[in-house]
Amino acid sequence: MDIASVDELLTTTRSVRKRLDLNRPVGRDVILECLRIAMQAPTASNAQDWRWLVITDADKRAAIAEIYGSIGAEYLAQVAATESDPQTRRVYASALSLTETLASVPVHVIPCLQRRFDDGDRLVAASAWASIIPAGWSFLLALRSRGLGSVWTTMHLAKEQEVAELLGIPDTVTQAALFPVAYTIGTDFRPASRPPPETVTYWNSWGER
């Protein structure tokens, strides 16, 4: 295994919003290839209960984008204008830009779990998320390695039922995220600014370094 290549993939898979190519088609085959890789991720109790809803229909993408914008556009505009930290402000501005272009992103992917866990049981919920999050991240990594990009968004979940009705998702299914997928404009992504691990890591007891 080429550790340098793996490390580059892991450290440069960014949340891509502004550098999504809205004009280049994304074929079904590449999506299925990335999903095939994603489904190799660990799944709690070997449930394999992830399901993937891929939306390429322009009208449905526009409807999803309208719901998405109705939830977040005003909020994101406000925080982008008032956030004091430059890096965080750029993130909010980027997120705001996605509300304006989401309808034009050629593919939307909604990772789902074929179950509900709304009863508040923390163990059940943790097990469920442990099944879909590794698979979702593997999907994003597979996209990156093929010159595509995306961003893990959850804003539409504030109106999950509206999206479910739009797409015919049964009420026994949980939507986990929304991935807007496109080829990226350029591939020269860099690691983000993060604190040294020593500053956020404790050993044996909380607060002990």
Side-chain angles (χ1 to χ4, degrees), residues 5-137:
S5 296
V6 173
D7 287 354
E8 181 180 3
L9 175 67
L10 292 172
T11 58
T12 64
T13 299
R14 305 260 59 86
S15 295
V16 186
R17 305 178 186 91
K18 290 186 173 182
R19 290 176 58 182
L20 296 172
D21 190 336
L22 306 180
N23 299 309
R24 183 177 175 183
V26 176
R28 178 177 292 211
D29 288 349
V30 71
I31 296 295
L32 289 174
E33 193 174 276
C34 292
L35 290 176
R36 189 171 294 112
I37 291 171
M39 289 165 58
Q40 291 295 320
T43 171
S45 302
N46 196 35
Q48 301 185 36
D49 58 351
W50 11 242
R51 296 295 183 269
W52 309 87
L53 184 52
V54 181
I55 303 99
T56 58
D57 179 86
D59 291 337
K60 290 184 177 179
R61 286 187 286 114
I64 292 170
E66 184 175 352
I67 294 170
Y68 189 92
S70 72
I71 300 166
E74 184 176 343
Y75 164 74
L76 290 171
Q78 179 180 358
V79 294
T82 58
E83 172 60 45
S84 59
D85 177 66
Q87 181 178 352
T88 306
R89 186 166 60 248
R90 288 193 297 272
V91 170
Y92 280 127
S94 176
L96 176 61
S97 73
L98 183 63
T99 67
E100 300 163 354
T101 61
L102 183 58
S104 300
V105 179
V107 179
H108 295 178
V109 177
I110 298 179
C112 301
L113 284 168
Q114 198 159 272
R115 56 172 148 159
R116 299 294 303 185
F117 42 98
D118 301 323
D119 61 1
D121 187 310
R122 196 175 303 178
L123 177 59
V124 171
S127 174
W129 291 119
S131 283
I132 195 63
I133 290 175
W137 186 242

Side-chain angles (χ1 to χ4, degrees), residues 131-170:
S131 283
I132 195 63
I133 290 175
W137 186 242
S138 289
F139 176 70
L140 298 184
L141 292 171
L143 290 175
R144 162 69 173 150
S145 70
R146 288 159 176 77
L148 296 98
S150 187
V151 56
W152 191 302
T153 72
T154 55
M155 191 171 294
H156 85 284
L157 297 178
K159 294 185 178 180
E160 181 188 10
Q161 187 56 41
E162 287 188 30
V163 175
E165 291 171 2
L166 171 69
L167 302 175
I169 300 174

